[in-house]
Amino acid sequence: ASTPVTVTVTGAAGQIGYALLFRLASGAMLGPNVPIKLNLLEIPQATQAAEGTALELMDCAFPLVAGMEVFDDPAKAFDGVNIAMLVGARPRGPGMERADLLSANGGIFSVQGKALNAGAAEDVKVVVVGNPANTNALIASAHAPDIPDSRFTAMTRLDHDRALAQLAAKMDQPVAAIRKLAIWGNHSASQYPDITHATVNGVSATSLVAESWIADEFIPRVAKRGAEIISVRGGSSAASAANAAVEHMRLWVQGTPDGDWTSMAVPSDGSYGVPEGIISSFPVTTHNGEYSIVQGLEISDFSRTRIDASVAELLSERDAVAQLGLL
Ligand code: NAX
């Protein structure tokens, strides 16, 4: 048997954690032949609930689980970590200003960035799920100077999957008929779900739908889907977010299929005029555990405006956390 891969999940006692851990343990992310060691990180008040989840994981008798431990100390939880899934974050409470939210999360992600820097394995890959995900990833990266910036990513795969599902429903086609859809920018309502390069059974998606559907129905539906789930379900997306986190990492580790790509928020290298120094979503392909931003796509005027608006929001988040001394 191969050496176990150490996966640390933060916010392990939360609702996404509960949906995520069992998928990881079953082999959904790393495949059926890779043993996995699970480190569950929580805040002290929630470690007991995390212990309960660990008991249930034990009761699943998953053959791939080579070890499991609950921590309230990031330094211990990230020691030797290969894959870090940063789910736990501080939600916005009543009366909380944006600056309060950014600084509360800054406290969490700066500490976790330092702990990763101190103890993570050489090959560590990080995905941030906890919101504001892109900016939290930037903060963690800034506190981990010895880890390449490229290893810090934020999740926009849920947005990607939501967009796939909406387009598939509109076309009355299976999701598998669709290729090359992309999410650009921030994981927020300003994101740009882009179908200008997408195909449905090989046919350009934009030739199959009205422009007004894209601008007035598709984009707002995808961008505001989180709020829609809250209003219908009475709680925020959990299993779908966990599934997207599995997909984000599965594709990063195992590679994207030929002729398609995924969406990931990654440090910009200046591609498509997105300034360096922010973590923004792009279409990416992955191979051998490395991702690359898809190059050479034509960007329409409509796309340009949408991408620029989301990037402007990311720049203002970055400036706000820089002013708080978090970068
Ligand atoms: P929950 O409130 O159910 O769980 C969060 C857990 O994180 C709690 O158990 C809490 O004790 C723990 N936690 C807080 N600070 C921590 C720290 N410093 N170290 C370790 N654990 C800590 O939230 P849940 O519904 O699971 O959502 C988690 C995060 O995902 C939220 O920030 C949420 O906004 C974000 N989301 C991001 C999405 C994305 O697409 N990027 C979509 C889904 C989700 O809304």
Side-chain angles (χ1 to χ4, degrees), residues 73-310:
D73 176 358
K76 290 184 180 137
F78 291 124
D79 190 33
V81 64
N82 304 107
I83 294 184
M85 308 183 82
L86 310 187
V87 177
R90 178 76 189 277
R92 188 187 288 239
M96 215 172 166
E97 298 293 329
R98 202 173 84 115
D100 301 333
L101 182 75
L102 289 171
S103 87
N105 280 296
I108 295 172
F109 288 87
S110 56
V111 168
Q112 293 184 357
K114 283 181 199 154
L116 283 162
N117 197 56
E122 193 92 347
D123 68 346
V124 68
K125 293 179 169 62
V126 183
V127 61
V128 176
V129 175
N131 282 319
N134 303 50
T135 297
N136 287 341
L138 190 64
I139 294 169
S141 176
H143 289 84
D146 302 332
I147 301 175
D149 293 347
S150 62
R151 305 293 183 75
F152 286 86
T153 68
M155 182 173 96
T156 51
R157 181 71 206 199
L158 179 56
D159 308 299
H160 185 105
D161 285 337
R162 287 167 170 168
L164 279 176
Q166 289 301 322
L167 182 60
K170 172 76 175 172
M171 297 284 99
D172 201 14
Q173 289 292 318
V175 164
I178 301 171
R179 302 266 185 284
K180 298 191 171 174
L181 197 149
I183 305 293
W184 300 83
N186 201 1
H187 167 68
S188 76
S190 77
Q191 68 177 262
Y192 172 45
D194 174 13
I195 67 163
T196 59
H197 310 285
T199 57
V200 183
N201 295 317
V203 178
S204 165
T206 49
S207 71
L208 301 170
V209 295
E211 267 178 41
S212 59
W213 179 80
I214 300 173
D216 303 336
E217 293 183 50
F218 172 73
I219 293 174
R221 188 88 189 267
V222 172
K224 295 178 191 159
R225 184 69 162 181
E228 182 180 348
I229 298 293
I230 291 173
S231 76
V232 178
R233 183 181 176 259
S236 57
S237 312
S240 55
N243 179 66
V246 168
E247 279 299 278
H248 177 110
M249 243 346 140
R250 184 183 72 80
L251 291 166
W252 189 355
V253 172
Q254 301 192 37
T256 43
D258 283 345
D260 203 1
W261 60 52
T262 185
S263 300
M264 280 168 73
V266 303
S268 180
D269 59 359
S271 293
Y272 300 102
V274 178
E276 290 182 51
I278 56 172
I279 293 185
S280 189
S281 187
F282 291 94
V284 307
T285 54
T286 57
H287 186 64
N288 283 341
E290 307 276 346
Y291 61 80
S292 12
I293 297 172
V294 175
Q295 295 299 322
L297 297 174
E298 205 176 302
I299 304 296
S300 67
D301 291 345
F302 179 81
S303 296
R304 187 75 263 161
T305 308
R306 297 281 177 154
I307 294 170
D308 288 350
S310 197

Side-chain angles (χ1 to χ4, degrees), residues 15-88:
Q15 54 155 3
I16 295 175
Y18 192 74
L20 176 61
L21 286 159
F22 297 84
R23 299 281 308 281
L24 302 180
S26 75
M29 181 169 76
L30 299 176
N33 302 314
V34 181
I36 178 166
K37 182 173 177 296
L38 286 171
N39 288 351
L40 282 56
L41 178 65
E42 259 297 347
I43 52 174
Q45 307 89 285
T47 47
Q48 193 188 327
E51 294 283 3
T53 302
L55 294 182
E56 277 200 83
L57 279 161
M58 187 180 164
D59 293 350
C60 293
F62 286 117
L64 291 174
V65 176
M68 194 162 43
E69 236 179 309
V70 175
F71 299 95
D72 63 10
D73 176 358
K76 290 184 180 137
F78 291 124
D79 190 33
V81 64
N82 304 107
I83 294 184
M85 308 183 82
L86 310 187
V87 177

Side-chain angles (χ1 to χ4, degrees), residues 305-327:
T305 308
R306 297 281 177 154
I307 294 170
D308 288 350
S310 197
V311 163
E313 184 183 55
L314 282 170
L315 290 169
S316 83
E317 285 184 18
R318 181 201 61 185
D319 292 348
V321 294
Q323 266 172 24
L324 292 164
L326 293 167
L327 292 185

